[in-house]
Amino acid sequence: MNKALRTPVIAGNWKMNNTPDETKALIAEMKPLVAGADCKVVLCVPYIDLYAALEAAAGSDIEIGAENCHWAEKGAFTGEVSAKMLKAAGVPYVIIGHSERRQYFGETDITVRNRVRAALNEGLKIILCVGEMLAERKADMTAEIVSAQTEVALSGVTAEEMKNIIIAYEPVWAIGTGETATPEQAQEVCGMIRALIARLYNSEVADATVIQYGGSMNEKNAAELLAKPDIDGGLIGGASLVAEKFAVIVEAAGK
Ligand code: 13P
């Protein structure tokens, strides 16, 4: 299937930034800038900001997501939030398996898989993050690491459920460093992920799956990355905290 038949998704990952009031102000600033976008626009925000974000984005083209969710429906998991709670709050998207969760909070391929299962059970749309560390790239292990992360996270996910999965390829060495993967490096891995999905499911599922690049994507390099055949969008950190920069990336995705 032609790339043009997939709707690009530009998602902001605000990480641990913005209070509820700052959330409302930034979304109000973004709304007119991204109105009528030719791609899907999602903002993933801290749990505490979700209601403010949903309220601020109501009636606009911006959809809201959380940055994580737990695998259990409820229980003794201090500090966690379940997929069921997100669903009940009216949150349509959730990021799962971000490298910062893997690096700093003990997230493993198995816990990522469990969270994916919980989110799918609630009908949430998932942005599933995969990506290699610098040492792994240097050791020529990128394909192996990214394939294993993807395959484990998707184990038990049906072809039908793949409609609710977006995969974000985020090389860890490119996150927050200003060092972006070259369009060729990003394309190589995104293409490899699509081939893996074709093997795990079939070419129809692979052709329909949105695969994003993330890692220092910004208003200057987005167009070149998004022009690649297997890059269907971006997961944006720093540049999603500045309305004008984010709007330029959204614009680039629609072209
Ligand atoms: P930066 O765009 O700040 O590099 O962050 C990327 C990221 O981690 C998005 O999830």
Side-chain angles (χ1 to χ4, degrees), residues 132-239:
E132 81 288 0
M133 314 271 287
L134 183 58
E136 293 163 342
R137 175 160 282 263
K138 284 188 170 159
D140 218 8
M141 288 169 64
T142 299
E144 187 184 326
I145 295 289
V146 172
S147 300
Q149 289 174 339
T150 308
E151 199 163 345
V152 175
L154 295 181
S155 60
V157 175
T158 66
E160 182 63 25
E161 287 173 329
M162 282 300 288
K163 292 189 177 122
N164 280 339
I165 302 260
I166 292 169
I167 297 182
Y169 168 55
E170 298 205 303
V172 179
W173 47 271
I175 294 178
T177 58
E179 189 179 342
T180 320
T182 64
E184 291 69 34
Q185 285 173 320
Q187 163 58 30
E188 185 184 14
V189 182
C190 291
M192 187 274 293
I193 293 170
R194 198 175 306 286
L196 174 64
I197 295 172
R199 278 204 302 284
L200 295 174
Y201 298 92
N202 54 53
S203 60
E204 213 173 287
V205 172
D207 283 344
T209 301
V210 169
I211 301 178
Q212 298 173 318
Y213 168 77
S216 299
M217 191 190 260
N218 59 38
E219 72 286 4
K220 296 193 181 82
N221 59 29
E224 215 186 337
L225 287 156
L226 293 166
K228 290 293 177 190
D230 287 299
I231 303 179
D232 307 311
L235 184 56
I236 328 292

Side-chain angles (χ1 to χ4, degrees), residues 27-221:
I27 292 179
E29 207 184 333
M30 284 180 176
K31 259 166 52 169
L33 301 180
V34 304
D38 287 328
C39 64
K40 288 192 183 173
V41 181
V42 182
L43 291 174
C44 299
V45 306
Y47 293 131
I48 192 74
D49 295 331
L50 283 169
Y51 274 125
L54 286 166
E55 194 188 309
S60 79
D61 295 328
I62 300 173
E63 294 189 86
I64 301 301
E67 297 176 11
N68 193 17
C69 71
H70 197 264
W71 54 81
E73 274 190 15
K74 60 179 181 174
F77 299 103
T78 303
E80 291 287 316
V81 168
S82 71
K84 190 174 179 175
M85 291 169 182
L86 294 179
K87 173 78 176 180
V91 176
Y93 280 86
V94 61
I95 295 174
I96 295 179
H98 192 277
S99 66
E100 285 149 18
R101 301 292 321 166
R102 295 178 192 256
Q103 269 181 289
Y104 308 136
F105 302 100
E107 198 78 66
T108 66
D109 290 350
I110 300 296
T111 58
V112 168
R113 182 195 65 190
N114 294 344
R115 291 178 205 265
V116 165
R117 173 44 47 210
L120 286 173
N121 288 349
E122 296 300 332
L124 298 179
K125 295 191 179 78
I126 296 165
I127 298 176
L128 168 65
C129 301
V130 296
E132 81 288 0
M133 314 271 287
L134 183 58
E136 293 163 342
R137 175 160 282 263
K138 284 188 170 159
D140 218 8
M141 288 169 64
T142 299
E144 187 184 326
I145 295 289
V146 172
S147 300
Q149 289 174 339
T150 308
E151 199 163 345
V152 175
L154 295 181
S155 60
V157 175
T158 66
E160 182 63 25
E161 287 173 329
M162 282 300 288
K163 292 189 177 122
N164 280 339
I165 302 260
I166 292 169
I167 297 182
Y169 168 55
E170 298 205 303
V172 179
W173 47 271
I175 294 178
T177 58
E179 189 179 342
T180 320
T182 64
E184 291 69 34
Q185 285 173 320
Q187 163 58 30
E188 185 184 14
V189 182
C190 291
M192 187 274 293
I193 293 170
R194 198 175 306 286
L196 174 64
I197 295 172
R199 278 204 302 284
L200 295 174
Y201 298 92
N202 54 53
S203 60
E204 213 173 287
V205 172
D207 283 344
T209 301
V210 169
I211 301 178
Q212 298 173 318
Y213 168 77
S216 299
M217 191 190 260
N218 59 38
E219 72 286 4
K220 296 193 181 82
N221 59 29

Side-chain angles (χ1 to χ4, degrees), residues 1-8 207-208:
M1 183 166 84
N2 190 315
K3 170 186 171 140
L5 299 173
R6 290 188 290 271
T7 304
D207 283 344

